[in-house]
Amino acid sequence: MQTDTETKYCQTCGIPLDIDYNNLGTNISMEYCDYCLKHGVKGYDFSMDYLIYLWGLFPEEYYKEVGISYTSSEIRDIMSRRLPEIKRWKQKINTAHVLYELVVRIQEYINRHLFDELSLDTLSQTAGISKYHFRRVFKTVCGENIGLYIQRLRLEYIAFKLISTDISVTELLYQINYQNKHTLSRAFKSYFNCTIPEFRKLHLNACSEGKHPVQIVPRIEKVLPIRIACLKLEWTEHISHDFSVLWKQILHLSESCDLQSNNCQYISLTLDCPLISSEKQSRFMVGITVPASFCVPNGFFTYETEAGEYAVFPFKGLYHELNRVYRYIYLDWLPSSGYTLREPFTFETYLNTPKKTPVSELRTDIYIPIVRKNK
């Protein structure tokens, strides 16, 4: 048997396999290390992102097995590039790519018809799959079942309207065609642990100008559709880690394809209101803008922002201060602006990056989809 000179990696954990191809025994796996496959049985079933996270926690284990020392950051970076290319995860990524695109399409449909009748039949037909498969796919991708997801979005939409406008509850129910005020009150209190008047008072007091002295004059722009190669972050127990893993993959795509030299920009889309949705249930897409001719590689999917009018808020400073900016936008600027929100997602573009810029000089443009109020 000829010796394979290429490095072979375990098709689960990514560790190099030390295989003597000239003396290969019948009980030695050519695809998995002894830890990942014992007696023909896989030893664990972590997600790829969590596996990368674990490698970062225990880089000394890699050194023990391979004899090469890496820092936590280095080993996570290595595995972020290596694992998507090996057998087990490549297949899962390709499958996830299809499922994510399907779920994003359904989420957009739900956003546009949030207070219409959204039956399982309607949603599964829109997705083009059976009701059983739709329920399973949606729960797998989003981490919550479709019924609870729709109820949560409806309640969070109502909550956002309560703190960003002075609309009365009666008028709001009329606008959204919500039939029963008492049913809403019970559901609202169950979800937010307070009544509707208490919620409105609590948030308005917490967001006074004295506590959040941010004032940014936006520019109003008509924006054409923007094509994005992106990755999606849904419900997860390791949000901060998963977010960094996704960005590393975006950065690697940008560098390997030299996208920034073509004036492509890093971008993230917020699928929920940052003032209302809990961190655990917040949904994001992160990516980089790409030209129409760019062939998006496996593992990424394409998303196109909706054309229309946007209020663009330029901000310079630390990323963790952006939440104060959103408070100003939604609670101070929007109610008196003469505009109301459109349904497309809010997004941010990053004009520079921490890799090359002092954090105090980071520049971010926040795009808020708007439409003029009816007079």
Side-chain angles (χ1 to χ4, degrees):
M1 180 182 294
Q2 292 183 345
T3 301
D4 190 338
T5 58
E6 295 182 1
T7 302
K8 297 291 184 180
Y9 299 109
C10 172
Q11 296 300 297
T12 289
C13 72
I15 200 165
L17 295 176
D18 185 15
I19 298 175
D20 182 355
Y21 287 89
N22 292 316
N23 297 286
L24 188 62
T26 57
N27 295 324
I28 297 177
S29 170
M30 295 178 61
E31 294 189 324
Y32 300 96
C33 68
D34 290 340
Y35 179 75
C36 293
L37 190 70
K38 290 184 178 180
H39 308 297
V41 178
K42 290 180 180 177
Y44 61 88
D45 192 26
F46 299 142
S47 70
M48 184 181 73
D49 284 348
Y50 190 56
L51 188 56
I52 294 170
Y53 172 72
L54 289 177
W55 273 124
L57 289 181
F58 306 106
E60 66 276 6
E61 296 300 321
Y62 192 90
Y63 174 75
K64 289 179 184 178
E65 295 294 330
V66 182
I68 302 175
S69 179
Y70 292 112
T71 65
S72 292
S73 177
E74 288 171 339
I75 191 64
R76 281 178 178 159
D77 188 51
I78 289 169
M79 290 301 179
S80 293
R81 295 194 303 269
R82 181 182 297 170
L83 293 187
E85 297 301 321
I86 64 179
K87 182 178 179 179
R88 179 179 182 182
W89 304 115
K90 197 168 191 175
Q91 182 178 3
K92 285 195 172 187
I93 287 172
N94 290 341
T95 302
H97 169 76
V98 175
L99 297 182
Y100 277 147
E101 286 194 327
L102 183 150
V103 170
V104 167
R105 190 168 74 247
I106 293 301
Q107 287 175 324
E108 290 179 323
Y109 180 88
I110 291 171
N111 283 354
R112 290 194 299 269
H113 302 86
L114 187 56
F115 290 95
D116 295 343
E117 183 179 351
L118 293 170
S119 68
L120 187 59
D121 284 332
T122 299
L123 295 175
S124 60
Q125 288 172 11
T126 302
I129 56 179
S130 70
K131 289 189 288 186
Y132 169 77
H133 190 43
F134 174 77
R135 281 197 300 261
R136 187 168 58 85
V137 166
F138 195 92
K139 178 71 179 289
T140 299
V141 173
C142 296
E144 58 186 323
N145 71 50
I146 183 64
L148 292 177
Y149 174 85
I150 292 171
Q151 182 185 42
R152 177 173 68 82
L153 290 195
R154 286 171 173 169
L155 291 173
E156 290 180 354
Y157 176 88
I158 291 168
F160 174 72
K161 286 292 186 181
L162 290 172
I163 66 173
S164 63
T165 70
D166 58 1
I167 190 172
S168 69
V169 175
T170 302
E171 185 180 354
L172 177 58
L173 293 180
Y174 176 77
Q175 286 185 5
I176 62 178
N177 197 29
Y178 204 105
Q179 300 298 320
N180 193 313
K181 182 177 179 179
H182 297 293
T183 301
L184 170 63
S185 296
R186 287 196 299 271
F188 194 95
K189 186 172 183 178
S190 175
Y191 185 73
F192 290 104
N193 294 316
C194 62
T195 65
I196 289 175
E198 289 170 344
F199 181 88
R200 176 173 257 172
K201 183 178 180 181
L202 176 68
H203 279 265
L204 290 180
N205 288 343
C207 302
S208 63
E209 179 64 21
K211 292 185 179 181
H212 303 281
V214 176
Q215 287 189 336
I216 301 174
V217 178
R219 60 184 188 270
I220 307 300
E221 293 185 2
K222 288 187 176 179
V223 180
L224 296 175
I226 301 172
R227 185 171 182 258
I228 308 165
C230 55
L231 298 168
K232 191 162 182 283
L233 175 63
E234 286 284 357
W235 173 87
T236 172
E237 295 179 356
H238 306 283
I239 285 179
S240 60
H241 162 66
D242 286 354
F243 208 55
S244 66
V245 168
L246 295 186
W247 273 119
K248 284 183 178 180
Q249 293 180 53
I250 297 295
L251 290 169
H252 178 65
L253 172 67
S254 173
E255 292 169 359
S256 61
C257 298
D258 197 25
L259 291 175
Q260 281 203 294
S261 66
N262 293 319
N263 296 319
C264 296
Q265 289 185 316
Y266 296 114
I267 188 170
S268 70
L269 295 94
T270 304
L271 281 60
D272 297 283
C273 175
L275 305 186
I276 303 296
S277 302
S278 68
E279 183 182 47
K280 183 178 178 180
Q281 292 175 315
S282 295
R283 302 162 298 152
F284 305 92
M285 288 190 285
V286 298
I288 186 167
T289 60
V290 292
S293 59
F294 181 75
C295 183
V296 175
N298 289 338
F300 295 81
F301 66 94
T302 56
Y303 179 84
E304 193 170 88
T305 62
E306 188 171 310
E309 203 164 33
Y310 288 80
V312 185
F313 291 81
F315 175 73
K316 184 173 76 170
L318 305 176
Y319 291 147
H320 72 257
E321 294 180 348
L322 286 170
N323 202 44
R324 289 197 306 128
V325 181
Y326 279 106
R327 288 184 180 277
Y328 165 73
I329 292 171
Y330 291 133
L331 303 179
D332 292 331
W333 179 82
L334 187 61
S336 59
S337 66
Y339 293 94
T340 188
L341 291 179
R342 291 188 293 118
E343 291 306 321
F345 302 133
T346 296
F347 63 90
E348 301 168 3
T349 60
Y350 307 103
L351 308 184
N352 49 25
T353 66
K355 191 173 182 179
K356 300 179 180 179
T357 309
V359 291
S360 61
E361 297 297 316
L362 293 171
R363 294 170 56 221
T364 305
D365 279 350
I366 301 173
Y367 286 73
I368 306 294
I370 54 171
V371 63
R372 285 194 177 276
K373 292 180 180 177
N374 294 325
K375 294 184 178 180

